[in-house]
Amino acid sequence: MARKTVIVNMIVLFFMVAAKADIISGDFNQQFDVTWGNGRGKIINNGRLVKLQLDKASGSGFKSKNQYLFGKIDMQIKVVPGNSAGTVTSFYISSLGPAHDEVDFEFLGNLSGDPYILHTNVFVQGQGNREQQFYLWFDPARNFHTYSILWNPKTIILYVDGTPIRQYKNMPSYNIPFPNGQPMWILSSIWDAEWATRGGLVKTDWRLAPFTSLYRNFKMQVCTQFSPPSCHQEPWMTDLLDKFSARKLKRVQKKYMIYNYCSDVRRFPLGLPAECKHS
Ligand SMILES: *[C@@H]1O[C@H](CO)[C@@H](O)[C@H](O)[C@H]1NC(C)=O
């Protein structure tokens, strides 16, 4: 190769690396700590895989070392296979504390052959009650699938394998609360919930413990409260659903959404939350 080509290639490579500098991926050891579970949670395979387990005594979880103010986070998850009734596997962002902002993916387990429910919620200043639940178009315990949270100043979008399933927009002109003032951590966990399976009718079969969920191939595009203004110029920071994706979201919701707080008029006798009327 001519020396000139080598130099040009090096320059091109340099700019590619520089442009992608904000994408963090791969090594869980560098970005996360297992924060609870007394050995039930483990980062293994040189930081490439996390194994979270649940037994009768406790579950387990991991948490990012840093807090972020906006981000797009992809996580590949394979949830508890077989009879997973009563188990909940989660992936979420949260500022934690009593007035927490939070965006949740929660996988509610089920008996073998019965479908998981993907439960989602958005909290602003400690106030949630914004549940939407979905069946998935695949068995989430069979293979890894990618679950993504996009959180920027304009919107929150949840994706499953790149397909948007939920959007929560920032609509300040309608006085709708939006989480944009508190940095959040990235968290994941597994635990046991009485209410999870068929509304609490089916309990966990502890003879099958420990229950295991796996996490791998995370990818983070993130800003912190200390990031330079250029971080706010990243494309994901201004991403909104385009017309095509909005139509896709509608189709998915029509087919797979099984609960929507915005349709639950009995639950809100004084009127549906403001965001339901304006989206
Ligand atoms: C479990 O399976 C039952 C029966 O198919 C279904 O009604 C329920 O929505 C499923 N999921 C959960 C988490 O209960």
Side-chain angles (χ1 to χ4, degrees), residues 93-107:
I93 54 174
S94 180
S95 60
L96 303 178
H100 62 296
D101 294 340
E102 184 171 309
V103 180
D104 295 320
F105 274 115
E106 292 180 344
F107 300 84

Side-chain angles (χ1 to χ4, degrees), residues 108-110 114-117 135 196-199 258:
L108 314 184
N110 217 334
D114 282 340
Y116 261 82
I117 286 176
Y135 286 142
T197 305
R198 296 185 62 194
I258 53 172

Side-chain angles (χ1 to χ4, degrees), residues 1-70:
M1 221 189 298
R3 207 164 74 200
K4 211 165 148 192
T5 327
V6 172
I7 291 169
V8 168
N9 280 344
M10 277 170 63
I11 291 170
V12 168
L13 190 67
F14 171 80
F15 279 106
M16 279 170 62
V17 170
K20 294 248 179 296
D22 67 311
I23 302 184
I24 309 168
S25 62
D27 190 346
F28 281 94
N29 280 315
Q30 274 173 25
Q31 303 299 330
F32 296 93
D33 293 309
V34 172
T35 42
W36 63 285
N38 207 3
R40 287 175 195 84
K42 282 192 188 79
I43 300 176
I44 54 178
N45 291 9
N46 282 320
R48 277 172 303 158
L49 188 71
V50 184
K51 187 164 141 179
L52 291 186
Q53 290 196 316
L54 162 73
D55 61 28
K56 189 144 197 190
S58 173
S60 53
F62 65 90
K63 176 171 164 239
S64 57
K65 293 184 196 279
N66 299 311
Q67 268 177 296
Y68 302 102
L69 193 59
F70 306 118

